[in-house]
Amino acid sequence: MRRLALLVYLLLAVAIFSSTWVNHPDGSSWIGSPKDPQLFIWYLGWIPHELWLGHNPFFTDHLSYPPGVNLMWNTSMVFPALVLWPVTAVFGPVVAYNVLITAGLALSAWFGFIAAQRFIDRPILCFAAGLVYGFSPALLAQAMGHPHVMVALFPPIALILGHEILVRRRMHPVAAGALAGVAAAAQLLTGEELLAMTLLIAAVGVAVLTLLHRQEVRGSLPHVATATGAALGGFAVLAAYPLGFQFLGPQRVSGSLQPPDVYVSDLLAFAVPSNFIHFTGNTTENDAYVGLPLLVLFAFGLVIGWSRPAIRWLGLLTLLIAVLSLGPHLHVNGYVTPLPLPWAAVARLPLMESALPSRLMAIAFLGVGIIAASAYAAGTSRLQRVATGAALVAGLAVVIVPSLPYTTQPAAAPAFFRAGGGVERIAPGSVVLVTPFSSKESTDAMYWQATANYRFRMPEGDAFTPGPYLGPHPSFMESTLDGLDAGQSVTVTPEVRTLFVADLQAHGITAIVAGPSKGRAAIVDFLTQVEGSQPDDSGGVKVWWQLN
């Protein structure tokens, strides 16, 4: 049944993303939104590129040159990039990205299915639970461009191994602990935020389990301590160097990377579709929509399964996760109330100030799926089972159908950056300014750089740097180019020219490439005045090969 479940999940994922796979299987389009996927496409190409050259994959000076970027402070997804290296090598990073999104959804559902087997003994219901988790609105929303959250294999793996260590205890504690440590290290190199959130929830889960079974704690300590030691040892072996580089290496970042009290679950979002309510964040981070059918099933399953310790524990934990996802203050239809919530205390923990509470719902759907499916299993009459079955089907439809058809974006790069294009006139390793300037406003230049096989360095990039800044340290050059692209006018006075040229020199820029963007005409006019010369036309871009 497990193999069949995996096959069906894969087919369903391909069907959801069919607008990309059917029409653009060659990598001429990617799944999701226009901006964020380009960042991950860059990483999927960069990691193999650097490893092949024998370089450190955790650092790059091809972005934010000259200081560079510590990639451990960014969503570089080193482990998935290694796994997908053969796909990247043969078909390119865009196809690898599409495989990552599709397989990530299917495998998340599959591990959810396996986790459900710990609580439910009917395979078809476990399949439904995996479907609720892997194809939840939370993961489908994150599939728009956040694979470091959407590839959510670790939460169900943590539930499986945690249940094995704390409850079932059939595996040797060293083996179970070592597997947990290896899985945590793999998640560290996939997405640290999901790792931190899962460990937070695991700690809460252990606390709840301890309160529910206080009389069994002392007898469990030797087994749990052995497994914990093995987990820490396995994790340390694989994670020591990456973590050491992150916290002791160059360009390390400190402080909150995200604005507080913005990306949280709105109270109405659990039952009301996102297009009917307001958010302080954006719809990509609206991960809380469960829908009325699944909410009713969850409540029903929790009530009738309350006598089962496992269901009682999982239900309480799921409710606690939902409360934490509300953030530090209660939000109702976009209005931020002064009512404080538990996340305000959690956000004071090291590194948790940068986590987005709304993303906790990606984990909560695992509990929602298992308990909703268990409601059907607990039905005592045919009418009860028919009603719960209908509600389960309706809940699945509410979860998946609104995501169809899933958006796709053309993988368009000017011919200049492709093989045989004008970029080959640029000496390898040269520093090139590419517009639109790549930072929090745009990732086009990063995708074009990856298309050119990282031939040149850039003073820009959508990556966290010390400050913290999303992008390089703010400069006159960046603000001017961003303003021009946004439609602002800039008069080239002697002072403006002096400041801009000083930034060009400080970054060691030897050439400028103006690519397609909203404000390219204004950018080209500005750069022409600064340089005092007209650019060349080359493969869909404007190029100043040598700067005056």
Side-chain angles (χ1 to χ4, degrees):
M1 180 62 186
R2 287 185 178 182
R3 292 180 181 178
L4 178 61
L6 178 58
L7 177 61
V8 174
Y9 290 145
L10 282 170
L11 291 175
L12 181 58
V14 170
I16 288 175
F17 302 129
S18 60
S19 54
T20 299
W21 284 116
V22 172
N23 301 320
H24 308 282
D26 58 347
S28 58
S29 181
W30 64 68
I31 297 166
S33 63
K35 179 179 179 287
D36 286 343
Q38 296 184 113
L39 171 65
F40 294 94
I41 290 168
W42 191 95
Y43 289 134
L44 289 173
W46 174 258
I47 301 301
H49 177 270
E50 287 300 276
L51 289 173
W52 181 256
L53 296 175
H55 297 164
N56 183 352
F58 301 129
F59 180 81
T60 181
D61 66 354
H62 278 56
L63 302 176
S64 294
Y65 185 86
V69 173
N70 188 322
L71 295 182
M72 281 301 297
W73 280 103
N74 291 273
T75 53
S76 50
M77 300 197 76
V78 175
F79 180 65
L82 289 174
V83 173
L84 292 169
W85 189 342
V87 179
T88 304
V90 176
F91 301 104
V94 175
V95 173
Y97 178 80
N98 292 337
V99 170
L100 174 65
I101 295 294
T102 307
L105 209 64
L107 288 172
S108 297
W110 189 60
F111 278 105
F113 165 81
I114 297 173
Q117 290 182 315
R118 296 271 171 159
F119 302 87
I120 307 172
D121 59 3
R122 298 188 187 182
I124 188 63
L125 295 180
C126 295
F127 175 82
L131 202 61
V132 170
Y133 172 65
F135 293 84
S136 67
L139 295 190
L140 285 171
Q142 296 297 334
M144 289 293 290
H146 300 153
H148 63 297
V149 179
M150 189 227 74
V151 180
L153 283 59
F154 185 63
I157 290 174
L159 179 59
I160 294 166
L161 293 174
H163 183 269
E164 178 62 39
I165 293 168
L166 298 170
V167 179
R168 182 176 289 187
R169 303 179 196 169
R170 294 179 184 175
M171 291 179 65
H172 193 283
V174 173
L179 282 175
V182 170
Q187 181 59 49
L188 172 76
L189 297 176
T190 300
E192 286 190 60
E193 184 177 10
L194 190 61
L195 172 64
M197 287 183 164
T198 305
L199 294 179
L200 170 68
I201 299 308
V204 174
V206 170
V208 172
L209 192 65
T210 300
L211 290 174
L212 293 175
H213 302 277
R214 291 185 294 273
Q215 68 280 5
E216 300 175 27
V217 172
R218 180 173 295 180
S220 303
L221 285 177
H223 185 93
V224 174
T226 302
T228 302
L232 292 174
F235 179 77
V237 168
L238 297 174
Y241 179 75
L243 285 176
F245 191 86
Q246 177 174 356
F247 292 102
L248 302 175
Q251 291 296 95
R252 51 189 178 273
V253 180
S254 61
S256 178
L257 304 182
Q258 300 289 352
D261 214 4
V262 174
Y263 299 102
V264 304
S265 295
D266 194 279
L267 184 62
L268 300 184
F270 296 99
V272 182
S274 62
N275 52 323
F276 292 104
I277 58 177
H278 301 286
F279 296 96
T280 52
N282 54 58
T283 54
T284 301
E285 299 298 345
N286 172 32
D287 301 329
Y289 180 58
V290 180
L292 287 176
L294 283 180
L295 283 174
V296 171
L297 267 185
F298 174 81
F300 179 62
L302 186 56
V303 170
I304 64 175
W306 188 258
S307 59
R308 293 178 56 195
I311 294 298
R312 183 165 66 250
W313 171 79
L314 187 59
L316 289 172
L317 184 59
T318 303
L319 291 173
L320 287 171
I321 297 171
V323 171
L324 287 173
S325 79
L326 293 169
H329 296 93
L330 183 66
H331 292 217
V332 183
N333 198 27
Y335 172 71
V336 184
T337 74
L339 181 65
L341 295 173
W343 183 263
V346 173
R348 296 191 181 98
L349 297 174
L351 303 180
M352 293 305 295
E353 75 273 7
S354 296
L356 303 186
S358 62
R359 293 177 177 177
L360 281 166
M361 284 305 296
I363 303 173
F365 270 99
L366 184 58
V368 171
I370 293 173
I371 292 178
S374 72
Y376 180 91
T380 56
S381 67
R382 182 177 180 183
L383 179 61
Q384 214 174 49
R385 288 193 295 271
V386 168
T388 53
L392 188 57
V393 171
L396 292 170
V398 166
V399 164
I400 296 173
V401 171
S403 299
L404 302 174
Y406 209 87
T407 184
T408 187
Q409 301 293 330
F416 175 86
F417 296 100
R418 299 189 178 276
V423 72
E424 295 181 358
R425 286 182 55 185
I426 295 175
S430 298
V431 184
V432 179
L433 172 63
V434 182
T435 67
F437 196 92
S438 183
S439 61
K440 62 183 179 180
E441 304 297 335
S442 172
T443 54
D444 289 351
M446 290 181 65
Y447 174 62
W448 300 339
Q449 186 186 42
T451 301
N453 198 30
Y454 311 96
R455 186 177 182 88
F456 54 87
R457 296 176 171 88
M458 299 191 300
E460 52 202 288
D462 184 22
F464 284 107
T465 57
Y469 303 107
L470 182 52
H473 192 281
S475 64
F476 180 79
M477 175 177 64
E478 176 183 359
S479 61
T480 300
L481 293 174
D482 284 346
L484 288 167
D485 216 30
Q488 301 173 12
S489 60
V490 178
T491 302
V492 184
T493 63
E495 181 184 8
V496 166
R497 186 181 187 280
T498 298
L499 290 172
F500 196 89
V501 170
D503 275 347
L504 292 177
Q505 293 173 341
H507 290 87
I509 295 167
T510 60
I512 300 176
V513 177
S517 70
K518 297 179 297 183
R520 182 165 76 163
I523 289 172
V524 169
D525 181 63
F526 173 83
L527 292 173
T528 298
Q529 294 182 61
V530 168
E531 283 301 301
S533 62
Q534 293 290 333
D536 288 347
D537 289 310
S538 180
V541 301
K542 303 285 188 178
V543 187
W544 286 264
W545 298 103
Q546 293 181 335
L547 304 187
N548 296 325

